[in-house]
Amino acid sequence: MNLLKGKTTIVTGAARGIGKSIAICFAKEGSNIAFTDLVIDDNARITTEEIKLLGVNVKCYTSDASDFKSTHKIIDKIIYDFNHIDILINNAGITSDNLIIRMTEEQWDSVINTNLKSVFNFTHALIPKMIKQKSGSIINISSVVGVHGNAGQVNYSASKAGIVGLTKSIAKEIGSRGVRANVIAPGFIFTKMTDQLSEKMKTDWLKQIPLRRAGIPDDIANVALFLASDLSSYITGQVIQVDGGINT
Ligand code: NDP
Protein backbone atom coordinates (compact mmCIF):
# COMPACT_ATOMS: atom_id res chain seq x y z
CA MET A 1 0.00 0.00 0.00
CA ASN A 2 2.93 2.35 0.66
CA LEU A 3 1.10 4.34 3.33
CA LEU A 4 4.34 6.06 4.41
CA LYS A 5 6.12 6.50 1.10
CA GLY A 6 8.85 9.16 1.30
CA LYS A 7 8.40 9.70 5.05
CA THR A 8 11.13 9.37 7.66
CA THR A 9 10.50 7.76 11.05
CA ILE A 10 12.56 7.76 14.24
CA VAL A 11 11.99 4.76 16.52
CA THR A 12 13.76 4.69 19.89
CA GLY A 13 15.07 1.36 21.19
CA ALA A 14 14.24 -0.56 18.01
CA ALA A 15 16.95 -3.22 17.83
CA ARG A 16 14.45 -5.82 19.03
CA GLY A 17 10.91 -6.37 20.30
CA ILE A 18 8.05 -3.98 19.60
CA GLY A 19 10.32 -1.20 18.29
CA LYS A 20 11.88 -3.52 15.71
CA SER A 21 8.46 -4.70 14.57
CA ILE A 22 7.30 -1.07 14.11
CA ALA A 23 10.48 -0.18 12.19
CA ILE A 24 10.04 -3.13 9.81
CA CYS A 25 6.32 -2.53 9.33
CA PHE A 26 6.95 1.15 8.51
CA ALA A 27 9.82 0.31 6.15
CA LYS A 28 7.49 -2.08 4.27
CA GLU A 29 5.16 0.91 3.83
CA GLY A 30 7.96 3.02 2.32
CA SER A 31 9.30 4.97 5.31
CA ASN A 32 13.00 5.59 5.81
CA ILE A 33 14.04 4.52 9.30
CA ALA A 34 16.36 6.14 11.85
CA PHE A 35 16.43 4.02 14.98
CA THR A 36 18.30 4.16 18.25
CA ASP A 37 19.81 1.56 20.53
CA LEU A 38 21.75 1.88 23.79
CA VAL A 39 24.71 0.07 22.26
CA ILE A 40 24.98 -1.04 18.64
CA ASP A 41 25.07 -4.82 19.08
CA ASP A 42 24.20 -7.83 16.87
CA ASN A 43 20.47 -7.15 17.24
CA ALA A 44 20.94 -3.61 15.94
CA ARG A 45 23.09 -4.83 13.03
CA ILE A 46 20.58 -7.54 12.07
CA THR A 47 17.65 -5.09 12.24
CA THR A 48 19.57 -2.63 10.04
CA GLU A 49 20.24 -5.32 7.42
CA GLU A 50 16.61 -6.54 7.45
CA ILE A 51 15.34 -2.98 6.88
CA LYS A 52 17.92 -2.30 4.15
CA LEU A 53 16.54 -5.30 2.21
CA LEU A 54 13.16 -3.52 2.11
CA GLY A 55 14.67 -0.81 -0.10
CA VAL A 56 14.51 2.22 2.22
CA ASN A 57 17.27 4.24 3.90
CA VAL A 58 18.10 3.08 7.41
CA LYS A 59 20.62 4.04 10.07
CA CYS A 60 21.06 3.01 13.70
CA TYR A 61 22.31 5.57 16.24
CA THR A 62 23.84 4.82 19.64
CA SER A 63 21.75 6.73 22.14
CA ASP A 64 20.70 6.62 25.76
CA ALA A 65 17.20 7.99 25.40
CA SER A 66 17.16 9.12 29.04
CA ASP A 67 19.97 11.64 28.41
CA PHE A 68 18.64 15.10 27.55
CA LYS A 69 21.77 16.69 26.05
CA SER A 70 22.82 13.73 23.90
CA THR A 71 19.25 13.31 22.61
CA HIS A 72 19.37 16.83 21.18
CA LYS A 73 22.68 15.97 19.47
CA ILE A 74 21.22 12.73 18.05
CA ILE A 75 18.18 14.55 16.64
CA ASP A 76 20.50 17.07 14.94
CA LYS A 77 22.53 14.18 13.46
CA ILE A 78 19.38 12.39 12.22
CA ILE A 79 18.06 15.57 10.59
CA TYR A 80 21.45 16.12 8.94
CA ASP A 81 21.41 12.51 7.61
CA PHE A 82 17.73 12.28 6.58
CA ASN A 83 16.85 15.95 5.94
CA HIS A 84 13.45 15.83 7.65
CA ILE A 85 11.52 13.72 10.17
CA ASP A 86 7.80 13.02 9.86
CA ILE A 87 7.12 10.45 12.57
CA LEU A 88 8.52 9.90 16.06
CA ILE A 89 7.91 6.64 17.94
CA ASN A 90 8.97 6.85 21.58
CA ASN A 91 9.34 3.13 22.27
CA ALA A 92 12.47 2.63 24.45
CA GLY A 93 11.55 1.22 27.83
CA ILE A 94 12.66 -0.95 30.75
CA THR A 95 11.20 -2.58 33.84
CA SER A 96 12.71 -2.90 37.30
CA ASP A 97 9.91 -4.38 39.39
CA ASN A 98 9.49 -4.38 43.14
CA LEU A 99 6.85 -3.75 45.75
CA ILE A 100 6.98 -0.12 46.90
CA ILE A 101 8.28 -1.07 50.35
CA ARG A 102 11.34 -2.71 48.74
CA MET A 103 11.84 -0.39 45.79
CA THR A 104 15.15 1.48 45.76
CA GLU A 105 15.66 5.06 44.63
CA GLU A 106 17.84 3.71 41.82
CA GLN A 107 14.99 1.48 40.56
CA TRP A 108 12.59 4.42 40.63
CA ASP A 109 14.97 6.84 38.89
CA SER A 110 16.16 4.45 36.19
CA VAL A 111 12.63 3.48 35.11
CA ILE A 112 11.25 7.03 35.23
CA ASN A 113 14.23 8.38 33.30
CA THR A 114 14.30 5.66 30.64
CA ASN A 115 10.54 5.41 30.11
CA LEU A 116 9.25 8.94 30.74
CA LYS A 117 12.10 11.45 30.58
CA SER A 118 13.13 9.88 27.27
CA VAL A 119 9.75 10.79 25.78
CA PHE A 120 10.23 14.39 26.93
CA ASN A 121 13.81 14.41 25.57
CA PHE A 122 12.98 13.23 22.04
CA THR A 123 9.76 15.23 21.80
CA HIS A 124 11.42 18.40 23.09
CA ALA A 125 14.28 18.06 20.61
CA LEU A 126 12.10 17.30 17.59
CA ILE A 127 8.96 19.34 18.07
CA PRO A 128 10.36 22.70 16.87
CA LYS A 129 11.17 21.03 13.54
CA MET A 130 7.71 19.44 13.23
CA ILE A 131 6.03 22.75 14.07
CA LYS A 132 8.15 24.49 11.42
CA GLN A 133 7.19 21.93 8.76
CA LYS A 134 3.55 22.08 10.00
CA SER A 135 3.19 18.31 10.09
CA GLY A 136 4.17 15.30 12.15
CA SER A 137 2.87 12.33 14.09
CA ILE A 138 4.22 11.39 17.52
CA ILE A 139 3.34 7.98 18.94
CA ASN A 140 4.29 7.16 22.50
CA ILE A 141 4.34 3.60 23.76
CA SER A 142 2.77 3.43 27.21
CA SER A 143 1.20 0.33 28.77
CA VAL A 144 -2.16 -0.85 30.12
CA VAL A 145 -0.57 -0.70 33.58
CA GLY A 146 -0.12 3.04 33.09
CA VAL A 147 -3.89 3.26 32.75
CA HIS A 148 -4.95 0.70 35.38
CA GLY A 149 -1.92 0.29 37.72
CA ASN A 150 -0.20 -2.98 38.70
CA ALA A 151 1.08 -4.28 42.04
CA GLY A 152 4.87 -4.54 41.99
CA GLN A 153 5.28 -1.95 39.26
CA VAL A 154 4.82 1.49 40.88
CA ASN A 155 7.81 2.93 39.00
CA TYR A 156 6.82 1.41 35.64
CA SER A 157 3.10 2.28 36.03
CA ALA A 158 3.94 5.85 37.03
CA SER A 159 6.27 6.26 34.06
CA LYS A 160 3.63 4.92 31.66
CA ALA A 161 0.84 7.03 33.21
CA GLY A 162 3.15 10.04 32.85
CA ILE A 163 3.39 9.33 29.14
CA VAL A 164 -0.40 9.57 28.86
CA GLY A 165 -0.47 13.00 30.56
CA LEU A 166 2.48 14.26 28.53
CA THR A 167 0.91 13.12 25.25
CA LYS A 168 -2.54 14.55 25.94
CA SER A 169 -0.90 17.87 26.86
CA ILE A 170 1.30 18.15 23.77
CA ALA A 171 -1.65 17.16 21.58
CA LYS A 172 -3.38 20.28 22.90
CA GLU A 173 -0.26 22.45 22.52
CA ILE A 174 0.62 21.54 18.96
CA GLY A 175 -2.59 20.40 17.27
CA SER A 176 -3.07 23.84 15.72
CA ARG A 177 0.39 23.46 14.11
CA GLY A 178 -0.56 20.29 12.26
CA VAL A 179 1.26 17.91 14.61
CA ARG A 180 -0.60 14.96 16.17
CA ALA A 181 0.35 12.96 19.28
CA ASN A 182 -1.19 9.69 20.45
CA VAL A 183 -0.47 6.84 22.86
CA ILE A 184 -0.53 3.11 22.35
CA ALA A 185 -1.02 1.17 25.58
CA PRO A 186 -0.04 -2.46 24.90
CA GLY A 187 -1.21 -5.29 27.13
CA PHE A 188 0.82 -8.48 27.43
CA ILE A 189 3.05 -8.77 24.35
CA PHE A 190 5.58 -11.58 23.78
CA THR A 191 9.07 -9.97 23.77
CA LYS A 192 12.31 -10.23 25.77
CA MET A 193 10.72 -7.87 28.33
CA THR A 194 7.86 -10.27 29.16
CA ASP A 195 10.08 -13.33 28.83
CA GLN A 196 11.62 -12.30 32.19
CA LEU A 197 8.27 -12.83 34.00
CA SER A 198 7.69 -15.99 36.04
CA GLU A 199 5.57 -18.75 34.47
CA LYS A 200 2.90 -18.06 37.12
CA MET A 201 2.70 -14.38 36.20
CA LYS A 202 2.45 -15.27 32.49
CA THR A 203 -0.36 -17.77 33.16
CA ASP A 204 -2.19 -15.26 35.38
CA TRP A 205 -2.00 -12.59 32.64
CA LEU A 206 -3.16 -15.00 29.96
CA LYS A 207 -6.21 -16.04 32.03
CA GLN A 208 -7.36 -12.40 32.11
CA ILE A 209 -7.23 -11.86 28.33
CA PRO A 210 -10.67 -12.23 26.67
CA LEU A 211 -9.06 -12.97 23.28
CA ARG A 212 -7.16 -15.83 25.00
CA ARG A 213 -3.71 -15.14 23.64
CA ALA A 214 -0.75 -12.90 24.35
CA GLY A 215 -0.10 -10.16 21.83
CA ILE A 216 2.76 -10.17 19.35
CA PRO A 217 4.84 -7.11 18.39
CA ASP A 218 3.06 -6.87 15.02
CA ASP A 219 -0.24 -6.26 16.85
CA ILE A 220 1.31 -3.02 18.11
CA ALA A 221 3.04 -2.17 14.81
CA ASN A 222 -0.27 -2.32 12.90
CA VAL A 223 -1.88 0.22 15.22
CA ALA A 224 1.23 2.41 15.10
CA LEU A 225 0.99 2.34 11.29
CA PHE A 226 -2.62 3.56 11.46
CA LEU A 227 -1.68 6.36 13.90
CA ALA A 228 1.36 7.42 11.84
CA SER A 229 -0.43 7.51 8.49
CA ASP A 230 -3.05 9.86 7.07
CA LEU A 231 -5.67 7.19 7.82
CA SER A 232 -5.82 8.74 11.32
CA SER A 233 -5.47 12.40 10.30
CA TYR A 234 -8.36 13.50 12.61
CA ILE A 235 -7.10 11.60 15.67
CA THR A 236 -4.93 13.21 18.34
CA GLY A 237 -4.53 13.03 22.13
CA GLN A 238 -5.92 9.48 22.26
CA VAL A 239 -4.86 6.38 24.17
CA ILE A 240 -5.44 3.17 22.24
CA GLN A 241 -5.22 0.00 24.32
CA VAL A 242 -3.96 -2.96 22.30
CA ASP A 243 -4.44 -5.68 24.84
CA GLY A 244 -6.80 -8.42 23.69
CA GLY A 245 -9.56 -6.84 25.78
CA ILE A 246 -7.83 -7.25 29.15
CA ASN A 247 -9.61 -5.60 32.05
CA THR A 248 -6.90 -4.90 34.65
P1 NDP B 1 12.37 -5.06 24.85
O1 NDP B 1 13.03 -5.18 26.18
O2 NDP B 1 12.27 -6.24 23.97
O3 NDP B 1 13.03 -3.87 24.01
C1 NDP B 1 13.27 -2.63 24.61
C2 NDP B 1 14.22 -1.87 23.73
O4 NDP B 1 14.47 -0.60 24.37
C3 NDP B 1 15.57 -2.56 23.55
O5 NDP B 1 15.98 -2.48 22.21
C4 NDP B 1 16.49 -1.74 24.47
O6 NDP B 1 17.84 -1.63 24.02
C5 NDP B 1 15.87 -0.36 24.35
N1 NDP B 1 16.29 0.51 25.44
C6 NDP B 1 16.24 0.26 26.77
N2 NDP B 1 16.73 1.31 27.43
C7 NDP B 1 17.08 2.24 26.52
C8 NDP B 1 17.65 3.54 26.58
N3 NDP B 1 17.95 4.12 27.75
N4 NDP B 1 17.89 4.21 25.42
C9 NDP B 1 17.60 3.65 24.24
N5 NDP B 1 17.07 2.41 24.11
C10 NDP B 1 16.82 1.72 25.23
O7 NDP B 1 10.92 -4.47 25.20
P2 NDP B 1 9.54 -4.45 24.38
O8 NDP B 1 9.80 -4.46 22.93
O9 NDP B 1 8.65 -5.43 24.99
O10 NDP B 1 9.00 -3.01 24.83
C11 NDP B 1 8.98 -1.88 23.97
C12 NDP B 1 8.11 -0.82 24.64
O11 NDP B 1 6.80 -1.34 24.82
C13 NDP B 1 8.61 -0.41 26.02
O12 NDP B 1 8.41 0.97 26.22
C14 NDP B 1 7.70 -1.20 26.95
O13 NDP B 1 7.57 -0.60 28.21
C15 NDP B 1 6.41 -1.19 26.18
N6 NDP B 1 5.48 -2.23 26.55
C16 NDP B 1 5.78 -3.56 26.38
C17 NDP B 1 4.87 -4.52 26.75
C18 NDP B 1 5.13 -5.98 26.59
O14 NDP B 1 4.27 -6.78 27.03
N7 NDP B 1 6.24 -6.41 25.97
C19 NDP B 1 3.58 -4.16 27.36
C20 NDP B 1 3.36 -2.76 27.49
C21 NDP B 1 4.28 -1.84 27.09
P3 NDP B 1 18.93 -2.77 24.34
O15 NDP B 1 18.67 -3.83 23.32
O16 NDP B 1 20.23 -2.07 24.11
O17 NDP B 1 18.70 -3.20 25.76
Side-chain angles (χ1 to χ4, degrees):
M1 263 202 293
N2 270 334
L3 284 172
L4 304 177
K5 195 169 168 48
K7 305 270 188 200
T8 299
T9 303
I10 297 178
V11 192
T12 65
R16 59 183 157 91
I18 291 170
K20 174 175 180 172
S21 189
I22 292 173
I24 287 181
C25 169
F26 281 29
K28 283 182 182 163
E29 292 293 331
S31 178
N32 297 315
I33 303 291
F35 74 95
T36 71
D37 196 19
L38 260 178
V39 182
I40 299 186
D41 54 9
D42 281 350
N43 286 332
R45 281 187 278 275
I46 291 165
T47 301
T48 305
E49 287 312 310
E50 287 178 18
I51 293 172
K52 235 181 235 168
L53 289 174
L54 297 168
V56 298
N57 294 331
V58 55
K59 193 164 175 185
C60 179
Y61 299 80
T62 307
S63 146
D64 178 352
S66 66
D67 187 297
F68 181 80
K69 278 193 188 142
S70 72
T71 299
H72 277 257
K73 286 188 190 146
I74 287 289
I75 290 287
D76 287 345
K77 259 193 215 167
I78 296 175
I79 288 172
Y80 179 82
D81 291 343
F82 286 85
N83 206 23
H84 69 285
I85 308 297
D86 305 284
I87 301 154
L88 169 64
I89 313 280
N90 282 306
N91 166 78
I94 57 168
T95 52
S96 184
D97 297 348
N98 226 335
L99 296 171
I100 190 158
I101 50 168
R102 295 201 197 113
M103 184 160 292
T104 63
E105 184 183 8
E106 197 280 329
Q107 282 183 300
W108 174 267
D109 287 345
S110 64
V111 170
I112 296 292
N113 289 338
T114 301
N115 296 5
L116 178 58
K117 190 178 175 203
S118 63
V119 178
F120 169 71
N121 292 342
F122 270 84
T123 308
H124 185 269
L126 190 57
I127 238 166
K129 276 89 180 170
M130 285 185 164
I131 287 175
K132 206 169 164 199
Q133 73 197 18
K134 296 191 173 66
S135 68
S137 177
I138 298 169
I139 298 162
N140 296 326
I141 308 298
S142 173
S143 164
V144 287
V145 308
V147 180
H148 301 284
N150 196 26
Q153 289 197 308
V154 286
N155 52 357
Y156 186 76
S157 312
S159 72
K160 295 300 187 179
I163 289 176
V164 173
L166 182 157
T167 310
K168 284 180 177 278
S169 301
I170 57 171
K172 288 184 172 155
E173 286 185 23
I174 58 179
S176 63
R177 312 299 184 92
V179 184
R180 298 184 296 114
N182 290 288
V183 169
I184 297 177
F188 184 87
I189 311 295
F190 272 139
T191 65
K192 194 172 172 196
M193 183 178 274
T194 42
D195 215 28
Q196 302 163 10
L197 298 173
S198 69
E199 284 311 311
K200 182 177 178 322
M201 276 179 89
K202 286 184 202 168
T203 317
D204 287 350
W205 268 93
L206 282 171
K207 272 192 217 148
Q208 296 174 52
I209 301 173
L211 291 184
R212 291 288 179 267
R213 69 167 176 90
I216 55 169
D218 282 355
D219 292 322
I220 308 303
N222 290 332
V223 177
L225 175 61
F226 168 69
L227 289 175
S229 76
D230 289 342
L231 291 175
S232 62
S233 57
Y234 200 50
I235 296 179
T236 195
Q238 299 304 306
V239 180
I240 301 189
Q241 288 190 210
V242 184
D243 61 3
I246 200 165
N247 184 18
T248 53

